[in-house]
Amino acid sequence: MAVALGLSAAAVPVALLAAFPARAQEQSDASGTLQLGTVEVVATTPLSGTGIDADKVPGSVTIIGADQFDRLNSFAVTDGLFQYTPSANTSDVQGNAFFQDFRYRGFAASPLQGTPQGIAVYQNGIRLNEGFGDTVNWDLIPEVAINRAEVFSNNPAFGLNALGGAVSIEMKNGFNYHGFEGSIQGGSFGQIGGNIQYGGEKDGFGVYIAADAVHSDGWRLQSPADLARFYSDFGWKNDKTEVHLVASAATTNLGVVGPTPVEMLNQNWNSIYTWPQTTENNVGLLALNGRYDLTDTWQLQGNLYARKFSQTHVDGNDADLEACSNTWNPGVGNTKMCLEEDQFTGPAGGGNPITNPTYAAFRSQMVLYDQNGNTIPFTALGPNQLYGVINRTWTDTTTYGGSVQATSTDKLLGHDNYFVVGGSVDSSQINFRSNTELGITNTNTLEVVGLGKYLHNIPNYSLPEQYQVFYLPVDLNASATYYGLYATNAFDMTDRATLTVGARLNIANISMQDATGTSPQLNGDYTFARINPLIGLTYKLTPEATLYGGYSESNRAPTPLELNCADPNRPCLLENSLVADPPLEQVVSHTYEAGLRGGGALFGGKVNWKLGVYRVDSDNDIIALASQQTGYGYFTNVPATRRQGFEAEMQYVNGPWKFYANYAYLNATYQFTGYLASPNNPYAVDEQVLVTPGDTIPGIPAQTLKFGLDYMVTPKWKVGGDVIAVSSQYYVGDDANQAPMLPGYWVANIHTSYQVTDNIQVFGYINNLFNAKYATYGTFFDTDYLGLSNPQMQSPGQPFSAYAGLKATF
């Protein structure tokens, strides 16, 4: 597939060569701080503008250039973001390299619905957080087309979700990339992939086209991946104006098998729990962006875009089903199927469970019906069979948006000054549908096979909320419109000191309507608004060292997904049915940050370095909790959380040597006293754990260390490697920190390349050189389904894998 793509798609840029001649391949140098002695300019808002010296930003900023992504030979954007960003880590919750969480300072930008999001992500100024759950589908971004990525600490100018920070991705175009390049690679686990890119300019017109595709069988069972992605940019510019028309599309199909019980992993490291589990994503984008120089010191930037996103998710799971008991419905016996009685507690007040009307009504909710309203007969299964369910969701989102920004570099009171004012609108129309199909699980293969019966309960809204519907198809229409107004100003008080002040107003309007007519509890209209301030100072102690410090706030509104899945008494199947409609508060983060950065000569080479400390206090943080019914959960606000830490980074260049290293310590804790649900935690009491101030938030490792080295053995032969070390973390669900921790790990990767001719390069790389067995995510599950004894489950990391490829550059 990759070879065919390379040959057919290559015809397009080849045909353009005559119209847009290019020199031998060259690329604007976007390698971040490795380019010592240059001034790094960054945009401090989603739109690029003229930018400002990164040394004047009163917070942390990491710049990752195209060459740094390229050296990893990875098709996954998150690999590069993780590798080079201090305080960043990835969590492979779903067991697929293209479906990973990116976490920065303990906040997530995840593709998984059900993960509370805390990072704002933009591509060329376009918001990538999806309208339904603020998720970020990293698999839809073609890594080959990235010119550079900037990872910022908290900055309210980036709008909603920038609780912990923001990722701003700038794509290539015909003005910053010249030439043609194509590559193909393959290796372990049936992986084969390739990419092509072409860029050129002539007479003020620029063209850039890129495409990539990859197939992998997956190193775990039932975990294949197929991706095909396309990106194009057609630009025009003169002395005052620059305009770009961008069109992109992508389709991905991923086996996302999730965590596996540790008892099964001990027998087979590649094993999985129940399946099928797949996610199919499709996206199309059309955007127009540009800038116009109003004067020598005033510039206007803006964009307009339309984006269509659709996702289909299939998830085979165990099921809490059994024959209806004749103790509460005499004469029925075991002829009907019910939810398991021991999953729930009957109404208080005692009395005869048969004659008590409330209790009888509650029991009636446990009887299961098919899509035609018929009760489902219970049948005893064979020795290797159990009842299961297949949950399916469909999410279709159409988003229209735009932003406009004015930037001024006029002097203020005779001093240099950088002023930005702008606004944005992002409006999403969403349709979410789901159903649950009854199935049978083969306990040998753990495959769930559907029986064509789609489960229903009969709603009875006269009952207390905790005894209402558990299975019900959903058809929800929602709209989410986000408005933003912002302004920032960086004023050079002296030639050494720069004061930055700013603020952003965020307004979120969310509306939801049940399209079935049977779930009125889904209907609702919500408005959230807040102004978030920013103040910071940078001071150049010496020409080589700068001190910075600042305070800022950011907020995020609850998403339509969270608002309709927020009641512990009426949990919903995450990634599936929505059932509740209670209020949730918006989250507000308060960030304090200080650091020191600099660079200079060292041992005949040049070095850049950064040291920083930070604290982020969040009010009304939203977390996801599990319900006692298997696979179900809900969202809730907690009063306060804190994420604080220390980070250090350095990069060193000396002739043929290049070295980088970064270290981060992160202490993520709850700052309140209260009970949180944890039904499968063996240390829980009444399926709850008591959290007290200082308890560590699960799923976040305290320490990460990453370093790498490249060496040019000869002018044509390069060798290098990277080491990643991550400390232990608590299992998700162990909020009181009572259970043994998920062990830490370290992994070594190596790579090499040889320039055969000026145009042909061969390369190879090995991931997990020493075949370390490790896991990046752990949680608990109900052991009753398979009769296992250890409730811990993990998402294991990829074992030893080797790849080789060929790259042609013209």
Side-chain angles (χ1 to χ4, degrees), residues 259-293:
T260 298
V262 294
E263 290 178 73
M264 296 174 58
L265 291 175
N266 291 337
Q267 298 177 17
N268 181 358
W269 192 245
N270 299 337
S271 65
I272 61 174
Y273 196 36
T274 52
W275 63 283
Q277 293 190 51
T278 61
T279 295
E280 179 182 346
N281 290 326
N282 293 280
V283 71
L285 169 72
L286 189 65
L288 182 68
N289 64 71
R291 56 91 182 165
Y292 179 71
D293 294 337

Side-chain angles (χ1 to χ4, degrees), residues 76-140:
V77 177
T78 49
D79 287 345
L81 295 176
F82 162 66
Q83 192 79 47
Y84 303 113
T85 306
S87 293
N89 68 289
T90 54
S91 180
D92 189 7
V93 178
Q94 293 295 82
N96 191 299
F98 301 102
F99 205 82
Q100 296 191 74
D101 295 354
F102 172 74
R103 294 180 179 267
Y104 177 61
R105 293 185 172 180
F107 294 90
S110 169
L112 182 64
Q113 289 185 11
T115 300
Q117 312 288 330
I119 303 293
V121 181
Y122 291 85
Q123 177 182 304
N124 284 357
I126 296 172
R127 176 182 166 91
L128 293 188
N129 298 84
E130 303 293 350
F132 187 55
D134 281 343
T135 54
V136 179
N137 293 288
W138 301 103
D139 56 303
L140 298 175

Side-chain angles (χ1 to χ4, degrees), residues 398-525:
T398 302
T399 303
Y400 299 95
S403 56
V404 63
Q405 173 179 291
T407 305
S408 171
T409 55
D410 269 338
K411 289 184 180 294
L412 180 64
L413 303 176
H415 294 257
D416 287 343
N417 192 71
Y418 180 75
F419 172 72
V420 182
V421 61
S424 64
V425 178
D426 300 277
S427 181
S428 297
Q429 299 298 317
I430 306 155
N431 176 254
F432 175 84
R433 293 172 291 122
S434 71
N435 62 37
T436 299
E437 181 183 7
L438 180 65
I440 294 178
T441 305
N442 183 315
T443 57
N444 293 323
T445 65
L446 292 179
E447 179 184 10
V448 183
V449 178
L451 297 178
K453 296 181 183 294
Y454 294 88
L455 302 181
H456 293 238
N457 291 92
I458 297 179
N460 186 340
Y461 297 110
S462 64
L463 282 174
E465 289 184 349
Q466 63 265 41
Y467 309 125
Q468 291 186 21
V469 177
F470 292 92
Y471 282 120
L472 192 68
V474 171
D475 190 346
L476 177 74
N477 292 321
S479 64
T481 303
Y482 303 136
Y483 304 92
L485 291 173
Y486 58 87
T488 65
N489 193 83
F491 175 63
D492 287 354
M493 297 185 297
T494 70
D495 58 353
R496 292 188 175 189
T498 300
L499 173 68
T500 298
V501 295
R504 174 163 176 144
L505 167 65
N506 291 323
I507 300 175
N509 291 331
I510 299 172
S511 178
M512 293 168 290
Q513 302 84 35
D514 168 46
T516 68
T518 61
S519 300
Q521 73 275 14
L522 298 182
N523 299 333
D525 295 283

Side-chain angles (χ1 to χ4, degrees), residues 321-334:
L321 306 176
E322 66 181 6
C324 296
S325 170
N326 61 5
T327 60
W328 61 271
N329 195 353
V332 171
N334 61 358

Side-chain angles (χ1 to χ4, degrees), residues 60-62 85-88 104-105 153 548 593 610-614 645-649 662-665:
S60 175
V61 55
T62 298
T85 306
S87 293
Y104 177 61
R105 293 185 172 180
S153 57
Y548 69 87
E593 186 166 7
K610 300 176 185 177
L611 300 171
V613 294
Y614 64 90
F646 165 81
E647 53 196 26
E649 176 185 3
N662 59 72
Y663 167 79
Y665 170 76

